[in-house]
PDB file of all heavy atoms in Angstrom:
ATOM      1  N   TRP A   1      -0.373   2.132  -5.733  1.00 93.00           N
ATOM      2  CA  TRP A   1       0.140   2.977  -4.681  1.00 93.00           C
ATOM      3  C   TRP A   1      -0.415   4.373  -4.906  1.00 93.00           C
ATOM      4  O   TRP A   1      -0.056   5.033  -5.946  1.00 93.00           O
ATOM      5  CB  TRP A   1       1.689   2.946  -4.651  1.00 93.00           C
ATOM      6  CG  TRP A   1       2.241   3.906  -3.623  1.00 93.00           C
ATOM      7  CD1 TRP A   1       2.817   5.082  -3.850  1.00 93.00           C
ATOM      8  CD2 TRP A   1       2.282   3.709  -2.224  1.00 93.00           C
ATOM      9  NE1 TRP A   1       3.229   5.730  -2.730  1.00 93.00           N
ATOM     10  CE2 TRP A   1       2.922   4.850  -1.664  1.00 93.00           C
ATOM     11  CE3 TRP A   1       1.880   2.696  -1.405  1.00 93.00           C
ATOM     12  CZ2 TRP A   1       3.153   4.979  -0.312  1.00 93.00           C
ATOM     13  CZ3 TRP A   1       2.129   2.824  -0.027  1.00 93.00           C
ATOM     14  CH2 TRP A   1       2.741   3.946   0.484  1.00 93.00           C
ATOM     15  N   ARG A   2      -1.198   4.894  -3.991  1.00 93.00           N
ATOM     16  CA  ARG A   2      -1.791   6.234  -4.138  1.00 93.00           C
ATOM     17  C   ARG A   2      -1.061   7.148  -3.124  1.00 93.00           C
ATOM     18  O   ARG A   2      -0.925   6.836  -1.913  1.00 93.00           O
ATOM     19  CB  ARG A   2      -3.300   6.196  -3.795  1.00 93.00           C
ATOM     20  CG  ARG A   2      -4.112   5.366  -4.709  1.00 93.00           C
ATOM     21  CD  ARG A   2      -4.098   5.834  -6.158  1.00 93.00           C
ATOM     22  NE  ARG A   2      -5.140   5.274  -6.938  1.00 93.00           N
ATOM     23  CZ  ARG A   2      -5.293   5.470  -8.267  1.00 93.00           C
ATOM     24  NH1 ARG A   2      -4.430   6.257  -8.936  1.00 93.00           N
ATOM     25  NH2 ARG A   2      -6.288   4.822  -8.930  1.00 93.00           N
ATOM     26  N   THR A   3      -0.558   8.287  -3.635  1.00 92.00           N
ATOM     27  CA  THR A   3       0.057   9.230  -2.742  1.00 92.00           C
ATOM     28  C   THR A   3      -0.931   9.919  -1.930  1.00 92.00           C
ATOM     29  O   THR A   3      -2.158   9.981  -2.218  1.00 92.00           O
ATOM     30  CB  THR A   3       0.853  10.284  -3.643  1.00 92.00           C
ATOM     31  OG1 THR A   3      -0.080  11.008  -4.473  1.00 92.00           O
ATOM     32  CG2 THR A   3       1.880   9.604  -4.546  1.00 92.00           C
ATOM     33  N   LYS A   4      -0.480  10.568  -0.856  1.00 92.00           N
ATOM     34  CA  LYS A   4      -1.408  11.278   0.046  1.00 92.00           C
ATOM     35  C   LYS A   4      -2.035  12.442  -0.647  1.00 92.00           C
ATOM     36  O   LYS A   4      -3.266  12.674  -0.455  1.00 92.00           O
ATOM     37  CB  LYS A   4      -0.622  11.769   1.298  1.00 92.00           C
ATOM     38  CG  LYS A   4      -1.453  12.471   2.327  1.00 92.00           C
ATOM     39  CD  LYS A   4      -0.576  12.852   3.496  1.00 92.00           C
ATOM     40  CE  LYS A   4      -1.452  13.549   4.541  1.00 92.00           C
ATOM     41  NZ  LYS A   4      -0.678  13.940   5.731  1.00 92.00           N
ATOM     42  N   ILE A   5      -1.340  13.127  -1.521  1.00 93.00           N
ATOM     43  CA  ILE A   5      -1.911  14.263  -2.221  1.00 93.00           C
ATOM     44  C   ILE A   5      -3.036  13.794  -3.136  1.00 93.00           C
ATOM     45  O   ILE A   5      -4.088  14.480  -3.234  1.00 93.00           O
ATOM     46  CB  ILE A   5      -0.804  15.042  -3.000  1.00 93.00           C
ATOM     47  CG1 ILE A   5       0.243  15.558  -2.052  1.00 93.00           C
ATOM     48  CG2 ILE A   5      -1.393  16.110  -3.853  1.00 93.00           C
ATOM     49  CD1 ILE A   5       1.422  16.202  -2.748  1.00 93.00           C
ATOM     50  N   TRP A   6      -2.827  12.666  -3.804  1.00 92.00           N
ATOM     51  CA  TRP A   6      -3.855  12.169  -4.747  1.00 92.00           C
ATOM     52  C   TRP A   6      -5.114  11.767  -3.995  1.00 92.00           C
ATOM     53  O   TRP A   6      -6.222  12.108  -4.396  1.00 92.00           O
ATOM     54  CB  TRP A   6      -3.295  10.939  -5.510  1.00 92.00           C
ATOM     55  CG  TRP A   6      -4.266  10.424  -6.580  1.00 92.00           C
ATOM     56  CD1 TRP A   6      -4.204  10.774  -7.849  1.00 92.00           C
ATOM     57  CD2 TRP A   6      -5.270   9.551  -6.404  1.00 92.00           C
ATOM     58  NE1 TRP A   6      -5.221  10.123  -8.543  1.00 92.00           N
ATOM     59  CE2 TRP A   6      -5.884   9.338  -7.613  1.00 92.00           C
ATOM     60  CE3 TRP A   6      -5.805   8.783  -5.285  1.00 92.00           C
ATOM     61  CZ2 TRP A   6      -6.987   8.480  -7.817  1.00 92.00           C
ATOM     62  CZ3 TRP A   6      -6.888   7.963  -5.526  1.00 92.00           C
ATOM     63  CH2 TRP A   6      -7.498   7.827  -6.775  1.00 92.00           C
ATOM     64  N   VAL A   7      -4.994  11.131  -2.845  1.00 93.00           N
ATOM     65  CA  VAL A   7      -6.148  10.671  -2.046  1.00 93.00           C
ATOM     66  C   VAL A   7      -6.922  11.893  -1.555  1.00 93.00           C
ATOM     67  O   VAL A   7      -8.126  11.873  -1.530  1.00 93.00           O
ATOM     68  CB  VAL A   7      -5.690   9.717  -0.913  1.00 93.00           C
ATOM     69  CG1 VAL A   7      -6.841   9.329  -0.048  1.00 93.00           C
ATOM     70  CG2 VAL A   7      -5.044   8.447  -1.498  1.00 93.00           C
ATOM     71  N   GLU A   8      -6.210  12.898  -1.047  1.00 93.00           N
ATOM     72  CA  GLU A   8      -6.858  14.078  -0.539  1.00 93.00           C
ATOM     73  C   GLU A   8      -7.624  14.801  -1.593  1.00 93.00           C
ATOM     74  O   GLU A   8      -8.666  15.443  -1.297  1.00 93.00           O
ATOM     75  CB  GLU A   8      -5.839  15.010   0.083  1.00 93.00           C
ATOM     76  CG  GLU A   8      -5.208  14.463   1.376  1.00 93.00           C
ATOM     77  CD  GLU A   8      -4.151  15.329   1.929  1.00 93.00           C
ATOM     78  OE1 GLU A   8      -3.665  16.197   1.195  1.00 93.00           O
ATOM     79  OE2 GLU A   8      -3.739  15.168   3.131  1.00 93.00           O
ATOM     80  N   LYS A   9      -7.199  14.748  -2.837  1.00 92.00           N
ATOM     81  CA  LYS A   9      -7.934  15.415  -3.920  1.00 92.00           C
ATOM     82  C   LYS A   9      -9.137  14.522  -4.435  1.00 92.00           C
ATOM     83  O   LYS A   9     -10.191  15.029  -4.760  1.00 92.00           O
ATOM     84  CB  LYS A   9      -7.019  15.716  -5.155  1.00 92.00           C
ATOM     85  CG  LYS A   9      -5.991  16.770  -4.850  1.00 92.00           C
ATOM     86  CD  LYS A   9      -5.126  17.056  -6.069  1.00 92.00           C
ATOM     87  CE  LYS A   9      -4.193  18.219  -5.749  1.00 92.00           C
ATOM     88  NZ  LYS A   9      -3.348  18.551  -6.953  1.00 92.00           N
ATOM     89  N   ALA A  10      -8.878  13.184  -4.513  1.00 90.00           N
ATOM     90  CA  ALA A  10      -9.891  12.336  -5.064  1.00 90.00           C
ATOM     91  C   ALA A  10     -10.960  12.002  -4.081  1.00 90.00           C
ATOM     92  O   ALA A  10     -12.184  11.951  -4.310  1.00 90.00           O
ATOM     93  CB  ALA A  10      -9.250  11.056  -5.587  1.00 90.00           C
ATOM     94  N   TYR A  11     -10.525  11.680  -2.784  1.00 90.00           N
ATOM     95  CA  TYR A  11     -11.495  11.339  -1.766  1.00 90.00           C
ATOM     96  C   TYR A  11     -11.224  12.132  -0.485  1.00 90.00           C
ATOM     97  O   TYR A  11     -10.629  11.646   0.422  1.00 90.00           O
ATOM     98  CB  TYR A  11     -11.416   9.819  -1.451  1.00 90.00           C
ATOM     99  CG  TYR A  11     -11.460   8.933  -2.700  1.00 90.00           C
ATOM    100  CD1 TYR A  11     -10.362   8.196  -3.083  1.00 90.00           C
ATOM    101  CD2 TYR A  11     -12.610   8.879  -3.445  1.00 90.00           C
ATOM    102  CE1 TYR A  11     -10.381   7.400  -4.167  1.00 90.00           C
ATOM    103  CE2 TYR A  11     -12.644   8.088  -4.595  1.00 90.00           C
ATOM    104  CZ  TYR A  11     -11.529   7.321  -4.940  1.00 90.00           C
ATOM    105  OH  TYR A  11     -11.554   6.554  -6.054  1.00 90.00           O
ATOM    106  N   PRO A  12     -11.606  13.413  -0.487  1.00 91.00           N
ATOM    107  CA  PRO A  12     -11.266  14.306   0.666  1.00 91.00           C
ATOM    108  C   PRO A  12     -11.816  13.833   1.977  1.00 91.00           C
ATOM    109  O   PRO A  12     -11.128  13.911   3.026  1.00 91.00           O
ATOM    110  CB  PRO A  12     -11.792  15.670   0.267  1.00 91.00           C
ATOM    111  CG  PRO A  12     -12.837  15.391  -0.797  1.00 91.00           C
ATOM    112  CD  PRO A  12     -12.391  14.153  -1.470  1.00 91.00           C
ATOM    113  N   GLU A  13     -13.081  13.317   1.975  1.00 90.00           N
ATOM    114  CA  GLU A  13     -13.720  12.859   3.221  1.00 90.00           C
ATOM    115  C   GLU A  13     -13.043  11.570   3.768  1.00 90.00           C
ATOM    116  O   GLU A  13     -12.811  11.401   4.925  1.00 90.00           O
ATOM    117  CB  GLU A  13     -15.182  12.687   2.987  1.00 90.00           C
ATOM    118  CG  GLU A  13     -15.932  13.930   2.643  1.00 90.00           C
ATOM    119  CD  GLU A  13     -15.819  14.999   3.744  1.00 90.00           C
ATOM    120  OE1 GLU A  13     -15.738  14.603   4.953  1.00 90.00           O
ATOM    121  OE2 GLU A  13     -15.855  16.182   3.449  1.00 90.00           O
ATOM    122  N   LEU A  14     -12.745  10.681   2.800  1.00 91.00           N
ATOM    123  CA  LEU A  14     -12.106   9.414   3.222  1.00 91.00           C
ATOM    124  C   LEU A  14     -10.649   9.599   3.644  1.00 91.00           C
ATOM    125  O   LEU A  14     -10.178   8.866   4.486  1.00 91.00           O
ATOM    126  CB  LEU A  14     -12.163   8.485   1.953  1.00 91.00           C
ATOM    127  CG  LEU A  14     -11.854   7.039   2.266  1.00 91.00           C
ATOM    128  CD1 LEU A  14     -12.872   6.400   3.255  1.00 91.00           C
ATOM    129  CD2 LEU A  14     -11.841   6.197   0.973  1.00 91.00           C
ATOM    130  N   ALA A  15      -9.992  10.623   3.150  1.00 91.00           N
ATOM    131  CA  ALA A  15      -8.589  10.848   3.490  1.00 91.00           C
ATOM    132  C   ALA A  15      -8.407  11.162   4.968  1.00 91.00           C
ATOM    133  O   ALA A  15      -7.371  10.929   5.577  1.00 91.00           O
ATOM    134  CB  ALA A  15      -8.002  11.984   2.624  1.00 91.00           C
ATOM    135  N   LYS A  16      -9.514  11.795   5.579  1.00 91.00           N
ATOM    136  CA  LYS A  16      -9.387  12.143   6.974  1.00 91.00           C
ATOM    137  C   LYS A  16      -9.345  10.919   7.906  1.00 91.00           C
ATOM    138  O   LYS A  16      -8.907  10.998   9.082  1.00 91.00           O
ATOM    139  CB  LYS A  16     -10.589  13.000   7.371  1.00 91.00           C
ATOM    140  CG  LYS A  16     -10.650  14.296   6.588  1.00 91.00           C
ATOM    141  CD  LYS A  16     -11.951  15.053   6.909  1.00 91.00           C
ATOM    142  CE  LYS A  16     -12.010  16.315   6.073  1.00 91.00           C
ATOM    143  NZ  LYS A  16     -13.267  17.110   6.342  1.00 91.00           N
ATOM    144  N   LYS A  17      -9.815   9.769   7.435  1.00 91.00           N
ATOM    145  CA  LYS A  17      -9.881   8.564   8.194  1.00 91.00           C
ATOM    146  C   LYS A  17      -8.741   7.602   7.956  1.00 91.00           C
ATOM    147  O   LYS A  17      -8.610   6.563   8.676  1.00 91.00           O
ATOM    148  CB  LYS A  17     -11.199   7.810   7.954  1.00 91.00           C
ATOM    149  CG  LYS A  17     -12.455   8.640   8.038  1.00 91.00           C
ATOM    150  CD  LYS A  17     -13.674   7.875   7.673  1.00 91.00           C
ATOM    151  CE  LYS A  17     -14.963   8.731   7.711  1.00 91.00           C
ATOM    152  NZ  LYS A  17     -16.140   7.946   7.218  1.00 91.00           N
ATOM    153  N   LEU A  18      -7.832   7.916   7.022  1.00 91.00           N
ATOM    154  CA  LEU A  18      -6.777   6.998   6.588  1.00 91.00           C
ATOM    155  C   LEU A  18      -5.524   7.315   7.333  1.00 91.00           C
ATOM    156  O   LEU A  18      -5.229   8.496   7.707  1.00 91.00           O
ATOM    157  CB  LEU A  18      -6.628   7.053   5.103  1.00 91.00           C
ATOM    158  CG  LEU A  18      -7.780   6.561   4.247  1.00 91.00           C
ATOM    159  CD1 LEU A  18      -7.480   6.855   2.786  1.00 91.00           C
ATOM    160  CD2 LEU A  18      -8.113   5.111   4.540  1.00 91.00           C
ATOM    161  N   ARG A  19      -4.670   6.360   7.458  1.00 90.00           N
ATOM    162  CA  ARG A  19      -3.302   6.501   8.028  1.00 90.00           C
ATOM    163  C   ARG A  19      -2.333   6.197   6.884  1.00 90.00           C
ATOM    164  O   ARG A  19      -2.229   5.129   6.382  1.00 90.00           O
ATOM    165  CB  ARG A  19      -3.119   5.506   9.167  1.00 90.00           C
ATOM    166  CG  ARG A  19      -1.746   5.606   9.775  1.00 90.00           C
ATOM    167  CD  ARG A  19      -1.566   4.566  10.966  1.00 90.00           C
ATOM    168  NE  ARG A  19      -0.271   4.608  11.506  1.00 90.00           N
ATOM    169  CZ  ARG A  19       0.704   3.835  11.037  1.00 90.00           C
ATOM    170  NH1 ARG A  19       0.530   3.077   9.970  1.00 90.00           N
ATOM    171  NH2 ARG A  19       1.944   3.960  11.545  1.00 90.00           N
ATOM    172  N   PHE A  20      -1.564   7.219   6.543  1.00 91.00           N
ATOM    173  CA  PHE A  20      -0.622   7.114   5.444  1.00 91.00           C
ATOM    174  C   PHE A  20       0.733   6.684   5.950  1.00 91.00           C
ATOM    175  O   PHE A  20       1.107   6.889   7.104  1.00 91.00           O
ATOM    176  CB  PHE A  20      -0.475   8.489   4.700  1.00 91.00           C
ATOM    177  CG  PHE A  20      -1.795   8.906   4.054  1.00 91.00           C
ATOM    178  CD1 PHE A  20      -2.675   9.731   4.771  1.00 91.00           C
ATOM    179  CD2 PHE A  20      -2.107   8.490   2.800  1.00 91.00           C
ATOM    180  CE1 PHE A  20      -3.856  10.173   4.187  1.00 91.00           C
ATOM    181  CE2 PHE A  20      -3.339   8.859   2.212  1.00 91.00           C
ATOM    182  CZ  PHE A  20      -4.220   9.695   2.893  1.00 91.00           C
ATOM    183  N   ASP A  21       1.498   6.041   5.039  1.00 89.00           N
ATOM    184  CA  ASP A  21       2.818   5.556   5.438  1.00 89.00           C
ATOM    185  C   ASP A  21       3.799   5.808   4.285  1.00 89.00           C
ATOM    186  O   ASP A  21       3.412   6.173   3.159  1.00 89.00           O
ATOM    187  CB  ASP A  21       2.689   4.063   5.732  1.00 89.00           C
ATOM    188  CG  ASP A  21       3.811   3.632   6.623  1.00 89.00           C
ATOM    189  OD1 ASP A  21       4.829   4.341   6.828  1.00 89.00           O
ATOM    190  OD2 ASP A  21       3.743   2.473   7.215  1.00 89.00           O
ATOM    191  N   LYS A  22       5.093   5.556   4.567  1.00 86.00           N
ATOM    192  CA  LYS A  22       6.121   5.711   3.579  1.00 86.00           C
ATOM    193  C   LYS A  22       6.212   4.608   2.551  1.00 86.00           C
ATOM    194  O   LYS A  22       6.697   4.841   1.418  1.00 86.00           O
ATOM    195  CB  LYS A  22       7.535   5.840   4.238  1.00 86.00           C
ATOM    196  CG  LYS A  22       7.680   7.137   5.083  1.00 86.00           C
ATOM    197  CD  LYS A  22       7.875   8.335   4.148  1.00 86.00           C
ATOM    198  CE  LYS A  22       8.160   9.591   4.937  1.00 86.00           C
ATOM    199  NZ  LYS A  22       8.387  10.780   4.076  1.00 86.00           N
ATOM    200  N   SER A  23       5.731   3.452   2.918  1.00 84.00           N
ATOM    201  CA  SER A  23       5.817   2.285   2.049  1.00 84.00           C
ATOM    202  C   SER A  23       4.593   1.411   2.232  1.00 84.00           C
ATOM    203  O   SER A  23       3.946   1.432   3.285  1.00 84.00           O
ATOM    204  CB  SER A  23       7.112   1.463   2.351  1.00 84.00           C
ATOM    205  OG  SER A  23       7.150   0.318   1.532  1.00 84.00           O
ATOM    206  N   SER A  24       4.368   0.607   1.215  1.00 86.00           N
ATOM    207  CA  SER A  24       3.248  -0.341   1.255  1.00 86.00           C
ATOM    208  C   SER A  24       3.624  -1.611   2.025  1.00 86.00           C
ATOM    209  O   SER A  24       4.773  -2.020   2.059  1.00 86.00           O
ATOM    210  CB  SER A  24       2.752  -0.681  -0.109  1.00 86.00           C
ATOM    211  OG  SER A  24       1.784  -1.698  -0.118  1.00 86.00           O
ATOM    212  N   ASN A  25       2.627  -2.273   2.633  1.00 87.00           N
ATOM    213  CA  ASN A  25       2.925  -3.555   3.265  1.00 87.00           C
ATOM    214  C   ASN A  25       2.980  -4.700   2.239  1.00 87.00           C
ATOM    215  O   ASN A  25       3.379  -5.770   2.564  1.00 87.00           O
ATOM    216  CB  ASN A  25       1.788  -3.852   4.341  1.00 87.00           C
ATOM    217  CG  ASN A  25       1.863  -2.943   5.494  1.00 87.00           C
ATOM    218  OD1 ASN A  25       2.895  -2.285   5.721  1.00 87.00           O
ATOM    219  ND2 ASN A  25       0.764  -2.776   6.190  1.00 87.00           N
ATOM    220  N   GLU A  26       2.467  -4.434   1.025  1.00 88.00           N
ATOM    221  CA  GLU A  26       2.502  -5.436  -0.002  1.00 88.00           C
ATOM    222  C   GLU A  26       3.877  -5.506  -0.629  1.00 88.00           C
ATOM    223  O   GLU A  26       4.341  -4.512  -1.200  1.00 88.00           O
ATOM    224  CB  GLU A  26       1.449  -5.195  -1.029  1.00 88.00           C
ATOM    225  CG  GLU A  26      -0.001  -5.128  -0.467  1.00 88.00           C
ATOM    226  CD  GLU A  26      -0.451  -6.468   0.074  1.00 88.00           C
ATOM    227  OE1 GLU A  26       0.181  -7.512  -0.185  1.00 88.00           O
ATOM    228  OE2 GLU A  26      -1.451  -6.506   0.791  1.00 88.00           O
ATOM    229  N   ARG A  27       4.472  -6.693  -0.651  1.00 87.00           N
ATOM    230  CA  ARG A  27       5.784  -6.876  -1.261  1.00 87.00           C
ATOM    231  C   ARG A  27       5.792  -6.486  -2.744  1.00 87.00           C
ATOM    232  O   ARG A  27       6.754  -6.002  -3.292  1.00 87.00           O
ATOM    233  CB  ARG A  27       6.266  -8.221  -0.969  1.00 87.00           C
ATOM    234  CG  ARG A  27       7.639  -8.528  -1.578  1.00 87.00           C
ATOM    235  CD  ARG A  27       8.075  -9.935  -1.291  1.00 87.00           C
ATOM    236  NE  ARG A  27       9.354 -10.263  -1.907  1.00 87.00           N
ATOM    237  CZ  ARG A  27      10.508  -9.958  -1.348  1.00 87.00           C
ATOM    238  NH1 ARG A  27      10.624  -9.447  -0.139  1.00 87.00           N
ATOM    239  NH2 ARG A  27      11.658 -10.250  -1.940  1.00 87.00           N
ATOM    240  N   SER A  28       4.736  -6.830  -3.415  1.00 88.00           N
ATOM    241  CA  SER A  28       4.608  -6.604  -4.875  1.00 88.00           C
ATOM    242  C   SER A  28       4.751  -5.130  -5.156  1.00 88.00           C
ATOM    243  O   SER A  28       5.479  -4.745  -6.092  1.00 88.00           O
ATOM    244  CB  SER A  28       3.285  -7.143  -5.408  1.00 88.00           C
ATOM    245  OG  SER A  28       3.168  -8.533  -5.188  1.00 88.00           O
ATOM    246  N   LEU A  29       4.066  -4.273  -4.367  1.00 88.00           N
ATOM    247  CA  LEU A  29       4.211  -2.809  -4.621  1.00 88.00           C
ATOM    248  C   LEU A  29       5.532  -2.281  -4.213  1.00 88.00           C
ATOM    249  O   LEU A  29       6.013  -1.312  -4.772  1.00 88.00           O
ATOM    250  CB  LEU A  29       3.068  -2.091  -3.915  1.00 88.00           C
ATOM    251  CG  LEU A  29       1.660  -2.224  -4.476  1.00 88.00           C
ATOM    252  CD1 LEU A  29       0.683  -1.424  -3.708  1.00 88.00           C
ATOM    253  CD2 LEU A  29       1.643  -1.800  -5.976  1.00 88.00           C
ATOM    254  N   GLN A  30       6.159  -2.911  -3.219  1.00 86.00           N
ATOM    255  CA  GLN A  30       7.480  -2.501  -2.819  1.00 86.00           C
ATOM    256  C   GLN A  30       8.475  -2.697  -3.966  1.00 86.00           C
ATOM    257  O   GLN A  30       9.296  -1.842  -4.284  1.00 86.00           O
ATOM    258  CB  GLN A  30       7.975  -3.228  -1.591  1.00 86.00           C
ATOM    259  CG  GLN A  30       7.198  -2.888  -0.286  1.00 86.00           C
ATOM    260  CD  GLN A  30       7.657  -3.787   0.875  1.00 86.00           C
ATOM    261  OE1 GLN A  30       8.537  -4.603   0.746  1.00 86.00           O
ATOM    262  NE2 GLN A  30       6.940  -3.636   1.971  1.00 86.00           N
ATOM    263  N   LEU A  31       8.384  -3.823  -4.623  1.00 86.00           N
ATOM    264  CA  LEU A  31       9.262  -4.155  -5.751  1.00 86.00           C
ATOM    265  C   LEU A  31       8.980  -3.178  -6.894  1.00 86.00           C
ATOM    266  O   LEU A  31       9.882  -2.679  -7.550  1.00 86.00           O
ATOM    267  CB  LEU A  31       9.104  -5.597  -6.179  1.00 86.00           C
ATOM    268  CG  LEU A  31       9.631  -6.658  -5.219  1.00 86.00           C
ATOM    269  CD1 LEU A  31       9.114  -8.039  -5.619  1.00 86.00           C
ATOM    270  CD2 LEU A  31      11.125  -6.677  -5.292  1.00 86.00           C
ATOM    271  N   LEU A  32       7.707  -2.946  -7.187  1.00 86.00           N
ATOM    272  CA  LEU A  32       7.384  -2.076  -8.348  1.00 86.00           C
ATOM    273  C   LEU A  32       7.807  -0.680  -8.079  1.00 86.00           C
ATOM    274  O   LEU A  32       8.380  -0.037  -9.000  1.00 86.00           O
ATOM    275  CB  LEU A  32       5.856  -2.153  -8.533  1.00 86.00           C
ATOM    276  CG  LEU A  32       5.277  -1.402  -9.722  1.00 86.00           C
ATOM    277  CD1 LEU A  32       5.824  -2.001 -11.013  1.00 86.00           C
ATOM    278  CD2 LEU A  32       3.819  -1.407  -9.748  1.00 86.00           C
ATOM    279  N   ARG A  33       7.630  -0.143  -6.873  1.00 84.00           N
ATOM    280  CA  ARG A  33       8.085   1.198  -6.588  1.00 84.00           C
ATOM    281  C   ARG A  33       9.616   1.296  -6.588  1.00 84.00           C
ATOM    282  O   ARG A  33      10.180   2.345  -6.910  1.00 84.00           O
ATOM    283  CB  ARG A  33       7.604   1.654  -5.210  1.00 84.00           C
ATOM    284  CG  ARG A  33       6.097   1.792  -5.116  1.00 84.00           C
ATOM    285  CD  ARG A  33       5.709   2.605  -3.925  1.00 84.00           C
ATOM    286  NE  ARG A  33       6.145   3.983  -4.046  1.00 84.00           N
ATOM    287  CZ  ARG A  33       6.412   4.785  -2.994  1.00 84.00           C
ATOM    288  NH1 ARG A  33       6.343   4.298  -1.755  1.00 84.00           N
ATOM    289  NH2 ARG A  33       6.843   5.972  -3.191  1.00 84.00           N
TER     290      ARG A  33
END
């Protein structure tokens, strides 16, 4: 699970094309978080 701040710093050009959300669609990451 990558936060929006992390993505904007690591991949600034790619972050402009992404749609961020409050939670992941993957159940595994929901449980882990």
Side-chain angles (χ1 to χ4, degrees):
W1 175 257
R2 298 298 195 184
T3 62
K4 183 178 180 180
I5 298 177
W6 186 93
V7 176
E8 289 176 347
K9 290 182 178 180
Y11 311 114
E13 296 299 329
L14 193 62
K16 302 175 183 178
K17 308 176 184 178
L18 297 174
R19 179 181 177 272
F20 298 93
D21 204 345
K22 290 287 186 179
S23 176
S24 172
N25 293 340
E26 301 295 346
R27 180 182 177 85
S28 299
L29 287 183
Q30 293 176 3
L31 290 167
L32 185 63
R33 294 197 67 208

